[in-house]
Amino acid sequence: MTKRKVSGSQAVILSLLEEGVDTIFGYPGGAIMPIYDALYDYDRNVKHILTRHEQGAVHAAEGYARITGKAGVCFATSGPGATNLITGIADAMIDSTPLVCITGQVASPLLGTDAFQESDVLGISMPITKWSFQVTSPEEIPGAIAQAFYVAQSGRPGPVLLDITKDAQFGELEFEYKKCRKIRSYVPEPQIDPFKIKEAAEIIDAAKKPLLLFGQGVLIARAEEELKAFVEKTGIPAAWTLLGLSALPTDHPLNVGMLGMHGNYGPNLLTNEADVIIGVGMRFDDRVTGKVSAYAPNAKIIHLEVDPAEINKIKVADVPVLGNAKKTLKMLTDNVEPNRHDEWVNRFRECYQIEDEKIIKKDLFPEKPGLTMGEVIRVAGDKTNHEAILVTDVGQHQMIASRYFKFRHPRSNVTSGGLGTMGFGLPASIGAQLGAPGRTVVAVIGDGGFQMTLQELGTIAQNKLPVKIIVLNNNFLGMVRQWQQLFFEKRYSFTELQNPDFITIGKGFGIDGHKVEAREDLEKSIQQMIDHNGPYLLEVVIEKEDNVFPMVPTGASVSEVMLEP
């Protein structure tokens, strides 16, 4: 590549183009203004999405990354602009979402002087980034950006932050770009131990009641076909974590449902009967395990994981298998014997029948007068022919949507898992729609979370993004209210909401929509939303005390899963 003299701000844009970046989410300000000025000349090469808040930008970048598998990119200025990214960066870190966040910073001579809009964003973000670096000279820019993309996207992905001082943006350099291929002492993918593969295969072949648990690591590694091949060869029932959803089609006969606090009855109850647990690309986090000391007491644990830090962190693995899941699953499949576990799989089906009678039918086809969250999700899934991308916020609606929205394709579920960030859903739907412009994106959001970032309706309207937004309105912070009902004697302390007229707000931004309060209007209203050319806001008024079951109470064993209050 021929060297040429450019400004530091031009080098930022040129470096991003070299990395194949086609979309940037951001919000301009004084300390990043030179980069925005350089961006002005490249509007045909890269799309910039002006969000209404920096938190909207980082969540949109997360949505884009989760759908495409590529690093999402966002810009923010110094001080409050940079600190407004922090929640999204923390969310991306715990959910292994690749991001490259670029913030402007005051000029290097002013660092540490409490200059106007100066904040120590490196110090603030260090615990929640995979790597962070402050650029103080223009010559550092190409190398820093190359390293940022390599770190963000390799191994277990995560967010990276580059803080670029204003004088580095104004300065000049001889521009030359070289993609980063390796970093000394950084090993993104551990070497696979073939002896561990054979040891795991022997345990799997001898198992009578094996259970496979798959998480987002399968999607990150693009190992969906390898997962399917493994479960079909072995006949092992497979259950998913919240972020593993859509890695295996919902209707696959060996897909036995969701794990965890509000997961399906069978995967929770029968975990403690399993003699082998195979965790693939999942963390054994507290929402999956419940009381750790009582979790899977009869099972040998085989853990397939790319990040050595996750091995033995919560559950001690009898056989840890380090490596990329696409490779380790293929090797494991090659080493196991074909098998069937019909009697064991039937136990899950029997549990499903119990759950169906006690919970699912009542959720999906209620007899009570008020609308339920479950029937809204059922209709929305049916009307989109189970082909849509589902984006959810955090709360009761998130659990219900994850339970009942069905999937045929991978990378079709976008939600905040580990951090549980209310306000995530609406801006994340922006990134999801831009990442998959040919697909229908349905954003399901509670009335509480919607009000945290509803200003991003302006971003959706300005960019004419055809996101279909369903706000489930019960005038409560529903998940907290459920806990107050069950465990705090219905002492509803500051969880009831006096909500605005959401449809009028949407129309103020130029987004069509309407409100549904009666069951007889639900199907035609959702169909109208799907058919509408452009974004649409559908508010659905639901039962105030509509709860999510099953439920594993905090501190309880997964086998103590509750089917009713």
Side-chain angles (χ1 to χ4, degrees):
M1 182 181 190
T2 306
K3 291 184 180 182
R4 54 182 169 132
K5 201 162 195 176
V6 300
S7 68
S9 57
Q10 287 175 303
V12 170
I13 307 304
L14 292 170
S15 298
L16 295 177
L17 293 174
E18 289 285 341
E19 290 290 343
V21 173
D22 55 19
T23 308
I24 299 166
F25 306 90
Y27 201 98
I32 200 169
M33 206 176 295
I35 291 174
Y36 270 90
D37 183 67
L39 183 60
Y40 189 85
D41 294 325
Y42 293 92
D43 61 341
R44 292 184 180 179
N45 305 88
V46 62
K47 183 192 296 278
H48 179 275
I49 303 299
L50 174 64
T51 57
R52 299 306 184 260
H53 191 284
E54 291 88 355
Q55 184 180 352
V58 67
H59 289 327
E62 286 186 274
Y64 177 90
R66 293 274 285 277
I67 289 300
T68 64
K70 301 189 298 183
V73 179
C74 61
F75 287 172
T77 195
S78 63
T83 58
N84 281 343
L85 297 179
I86 293 299
T87 296
I89 293 172
D91 189 274
M93 185 66 176
I94 199 166
D95 283 353
S96 304
T97 304
L99 295 182
V100 173
C101 305
I102 295 176
T103 55
Q105 184 56 277
V106 300
S108 51
L110 296 174
L111 290 172
T113 68
D114 294 331
F116 177 68
Q117 290 193 332
E118 181 194 3
S119 66
D120 180 9
V121 69
L122 248 65
I124 295 167
S125 67
M126 194 171 293
I128 54 168
T129 50
K130 212 177 159 188
W131 180 59
S132 56
F133 182 70
Q134 189 168 69
V135 176
T136 57
S137 69
E139 293 81 9
E140 295 175 305
I141 288 171
I145 290 177
Q147 186 165 324
F149 276 88
Y150 177 65
V151 171
Q153 297 177 142
S154 59
R156 180 180 181 177
V160 167
L161 185 137
L162 295 180
D163 192 44
I164 307 178
T165 62
K166 201 165 184 180
D167 51 325
Q169 297 173 46
F170 276 124
E172 292 189 331
L173 70 153
E174 294 286 336
F175 181 77
E176 182 181 27
Y177 197 80
K178 295 179 181 176
K179 285 197 176 187
C180 183
R181 306 293 183 190
K182 62 184 291 188
I183 300 170
R184 186 178 176 184
S185 79
Y186 171 56
V187 183
E189 286 188 18
Q191 189 171 353
I192 300 169
D193 183 346
F195 294 104
K196 293 294 182 186
I197 296 285
K198 290 186 181 298
E199 188 180 352
E202 288 171 4
I203 291 172
I204 291 166
D205 286 342
K208 302 299 181 188
K209 295 181 176 181
L211 176 60
L212 185 142
L213 318 177
F214 62 91
Q216 191 185 200
V218 174
L219 293 158
I220 290 169
R222 299 188 185 274
E224 300 90 352
E225 288 302 317
E226 287 76 11
L227 173 69
K228 185 167 174 279
F230 176 80
V231 298
E232 288 179 352
K233 183 175 182 180
T234 59
I236 294 176
W240 37 271
T241 69
L242 180 63
L243 295 186
L245 181 55
S246 82
L248 190 67
T250 309
D251 61 0
H252 192 284
L254 290 169
N255 186 336
V256 294
M258 183 165 77
L259 298 160
M261 179 170 281
H262 292 290
N264 292 101
Y265 184 49
N268 279 314
L269 183 71
L270 298 179
T271 290
N272 286 1
E273 291 188 27
D275 59 1
V276 174
I277 296 283
I278 308 156
V280 184
M282 50 83 70
R283 304 184 290 119
F284 289 103
D285 70 285
D286 61 296
R287 283 300 192 262
V288 164
T289 64
K291 186 178 180 181
V292 177
S293 61
Y295 181 79
N298 305 313
K300 290 185 177 180
I301 306 291
I302 298 168
H303 195 177
L304 277 64
E305 175 59 51
V306 75
D307 183 359
E310 291 298 340
I311 300 293
N312 300 333
K313 188 173 83 174
I314 294 172
K315 282 297 294 181
V316 174
D318 295 276
V319 184
V321 180
L322 284 167
N324 178 293
K326 192 174 185 71
K327 299 173 184 175
T328 54
L329 272 173
K330 172 70 166 60
M331 292 172 71
L332 197 54
T333 303
D334 289 344
N335 279 269
V336 293
E337 295 295 328
N339 207 341
R340 294 176 66 91
H341 295 278
D342 294 341
E343 188 176 335
W344 174 234
V345 171
N346 282 335
R347 292 287 309 283
F348 288 89
R349 291 175 181 152
E350 290 164 5
C351 287
Y352 182 84
Q353 291 304 316
I354 295 169
E355 184 181 345
D356 189 46
E357 288 298 322
K358 286 185 172 287
I359 298 169
I360 296 171
K361 285 177 181 173
K362 295 174 184 177
D363 279 348
L364 301 185
F365 301 97
E367 295 179 355
K368 51 189 169 185
L371 287 162
T372 65
M373 295 177 282
E375 65 183 313
V376 178
I377 299 304
R378 170 182 60 80
V379 174
D382 289 346
K383 293 294 184 184
T384 55
N385 198 30
H386 312 300
E387 300 280 348
I389 291 169
L390 171 70
V391 182
T392 53
D393 207 81
V394 169
Q396 286 181 312
H397 71 278
Q398 176 191 32
M399 296 294 101
I400 289 287
S402 299
R403 283 172 55 79
Y404 298 131
F405 203 88
K406 295 178 171 58
F407 299 93
R408 290 181 175 152
H409 307 290
R411 293 190 180 272
S412 294
N413 175 54
V414 179
T415 196
S416 171
L419 199 64
T421 304
M422 288 179 68
F424 171 91
L426 189 64
S429 72
I430 294 170
Q433 188 71 78
L434 286 160
R439 295 185 66 187
T440 299
V441 173
V442 177
V444 178
I445 307 172
D447 48 326
F450 186 58
Q451 292 179 80
M452 289 190 171
T453 51
L454 61 72
Q455 74 277 353
E456 299 308 331
L457 289 172
T459 308
I460 290 171
Q462 182 171 347
N463 292 280
K464 299 178 175 61
L465 299 174
V467 178
K468 312 305 179 186
I469 306 156
I470 301 175
V471 175
L472 297 180
N473 183 4
N474 59 6
N475 291 101
F476 265 113
L477 301 177
M479 188 62 88
V480 183
R481 185 212 53 73
Q482 177 170 333
W483 280 61
Q484 289 173 336
Q485 177 185 342
L486 298 176
F487 307 116
F488 292 87
E489 300 174 335
K490 290 192 176 183
R491 290 160 59 88
Y492 295 151
S493 180
F494 302 100
T495 47
E496 190 162 8
L497 298 169
Q498 179 178 317
N499 286 330
D501 184 337
F502 292 126
I503 303 306
T504 297
I505 289 173
K507 288 181 178 176
F509 283 104
I511 295 176
D512 283 341
H514 72 278
K515 183 174 182 176
V516 178
E517 298 183 75
R519 181 163 290 119
E520 56 267 25
D521 298 330
L522 181 63
E523 289 208 23
K524 66 182 180 183
S525 297
I526 289 180
Q527 188 64 60
Q528 181 179 332
M529 175 190 74
I530 299 300
D531 292 341
H532 183 76
N533 183 22
Y536 198 88
L537 175 60
L538 185 69
E539 176 188 355
V540 184
V541 178
I542 57 169
E543 288 269 348
K544 275 184 173 287
E545 293 188 330
D546 187 12
N547 288 332
V548 187
F549 285 97
M551 181 177 185
V552 179
T554 298
S557 162
V558 290
S559 58
E560 297 175 274
V561 56
M562 297 164 53
L563 289 175
E564 51 197 5

